[in-house]
Amino acid sequence: MKPYAEVIGDPIAHSKSPLIHNFWLAKLGIDAEYRATHVRPDELADYFTRRRGDAEWRGCNVTIPHKEMVLTLLDEIDETARSVGAVNTIVRREDGNLIGSNTDAESLVAELSDELNSIAVAEFGAAVIGAGGAARAVLHAFARHSVTGVTIAARDIAKANALLDAFGLDGYSQGLTEDIETSGILVNASPLGMVGMPELTTEFTGRPLVFDLVYAPLETSLLRSARARGLPTLDGLVLLIGQAALAFAKLFGVERPLGVEAELRALLTA
Ligand code: NAP
């Protein structure tokens, strides 16, 4: 058997992770594989017991609905995952111990480093739409970069206020029908605009960098309207590929190959 890693979730067929990791493994000529494995919530504990004893298993990525549930089944949780309250990458150390991290949040901290430290964000603040797991990863990045003046737009304002408190952020929560005012950065961390979901109707004023975490479709109406106004944008593949790159290094012990991103993006959007 060759070394392997995998993504676990329920359901799992939709996951793009095997395509990304196997693309990088093939480019690097590494004889290992990355699978998708369907694990239901009631199977999680048994799954880890089996995998702990499997020396070929390097670890796994974790997707919906397990990102919070796995916290109690691991031996160590790193600081970022603890702050976000969710794990998306688990690495098996040689002694069999399982270490949980959150590369969504790590990737957002890294990708947004320049933007979050920019004068625009310092002056005009940062906003996030949504109050779920992805929003928590974004708020972790805001807190890491000591952003002040954070707006959360969500359907549940009490939940959004609790998030501002939890991350020690100075800011304001509002509903989804109110315009968002920011010229710093605006991140959509809700599923609104995703295939099969209602469109995001929240409007914004100002001239922020607009980052939509939704990647299906890649060109959301939020990004279309931002581009039509001449604003800088980042699409959902930035995070999808960014979090996978950090997970790849943890799981396989090597950096992803460079110079192949355009080919990977074409594969992911084919
Ligand atoms: P989640 O934990 O389920 O949270 C979803 C959030 O959106 C919650 O705050 C929820 O509101 C809100 N929401 C859901 N349906 C809504 C609706 N119909 N109207 C208004 N608000 C609604 O999901 P998540 O993990 O944060 O993911 C959110 C989205 O981010 C995903 O759908 C995906 O598009 C994107 N994402 C992308 C990447 C990437 O790699 N690019 C990674 C992670 C996530 P309540 O709090 O009131 O339930």
Side-chain angles (χ1 to χ4, degrees):
M1 262 243 303
K2 45 181 157 184
Y4 72 102
E6 61 200 334
V7 57
I8 63 166
D10 178 29
I12 199 58
H14 66 286
S15 174
K16 302 274 191 200
S17 294
L19 195 158
I20 300 173
H21 287 265
N22 286 320
F23 171 82
W24 287 333
L25 288 170
K27 287 286 173 200
L28 291 170
I30 294 174
D31 192 20
E33 82 180 294
Y34 186 101
R35 309 169 182 169
T37 303
H38 185 198
V39 178
R40 291 197 308 266
D42 63 343
E43 298 169 332
L44 262 185
D46 278 354
Y47 165 83
F48 285 118
T49 305
R50 280 199 310 277
R51 290 297 193 263
R52 269 175 202 275
D54 182 348
E56 298 303 344
W57 184 69
R58 296 294 179 263
C60 63
N61 285 118
V62 179
T63 188
I64 291 169
H66 304 320
K67 287 184 179 188
E68 282 109 26
M69 264 180 280
V70 298
L71 285 166
T72 56
L73 299 169
L74 307 179
D75 302 295
E76 270 176 46
I77 313 287
D78 79 9
E79 192 203 324
T80 301
R82 223 173 310 122
S83 148
V84 178
V87 160
N88 80 333
T89 304
I90 297 168
V91 170
R92 178 188 182 278
R93 274 203 319 235
E94 273 185 23
D95 60 7
N97 276 354
L98 305 182
I99 319 301
S101 57
N102 188 312
T103 64
D104 284 333
E106 288 173 34
S107 169
L108 287 164
V109 170
E111 294 289 347
L112 296 180
S113 171
D114 289 347
E115 284 80 8
L116 293 179
N117 288 318
S118 75
I119 292 166
V121 172
E123 272 184 30
F124 300 112
V128 64
I129 302 168
R136 291 209 308 271
V138 172
L139 293 169
H140 170 84
F142 289 176
R144 264 302 181 82
H145 289 286
S146 307
V147 173
T148 55
V150 171
T151 303
I152 305 181
R155 63 179 171 186
D156 183 340
I157 294 182
K159 189 172 174 183
N161 278 328
L163 284 182
L164 286 174
D165 286 348
F167 286 93
L169 288 163
D170 147 46
Y172 168 77
S173 300
Q174 61 182 57
L176 290 169
T177 52
E178 225 179 296
D179 285 4
I180 296 172
E181 283 178 38
T182 179
S183 283
I185 181 169
L186 168 64
V187 185
N188 177 30
S190 82
L192 297 171
M194 202 168 101
V195 176
M197 291 294 292
E199 278 298 339
L200 177 67
T201 51
T202 311
E203 300 284 343
F204 65 95
T205 57
R207 299 193 59 75
L209 165 82
V210 177
F211 188 2
D212 200 334
L213 303 190
V214 168
Y215 57 81
L218 195 55
E219 167 109 335
T220 59
S221 61
L222 176 67
L223 290 185
R224 227 179 357 262
S225 81
R227 284 172 188 148
R229 283 154 71 170
L231 301 176
T233 57
L234 293 171
D235 66 36
L237 289 188
V238 170
L239 176 59
L240 188 71
I241 295 173
Q243 60 77 26
L246 296 172
F248 187 81
K250 290 178 200 276
L251 293 167
F252 296 108
V254 284
E255 295 296 325
R256 68 167 156 169
L258 296 177
V260 295
E261 186 137 335
E263 196 184 336
L264 177 58
R265 278 186 157 255
L267 268 177
L268 286 166
T269 49

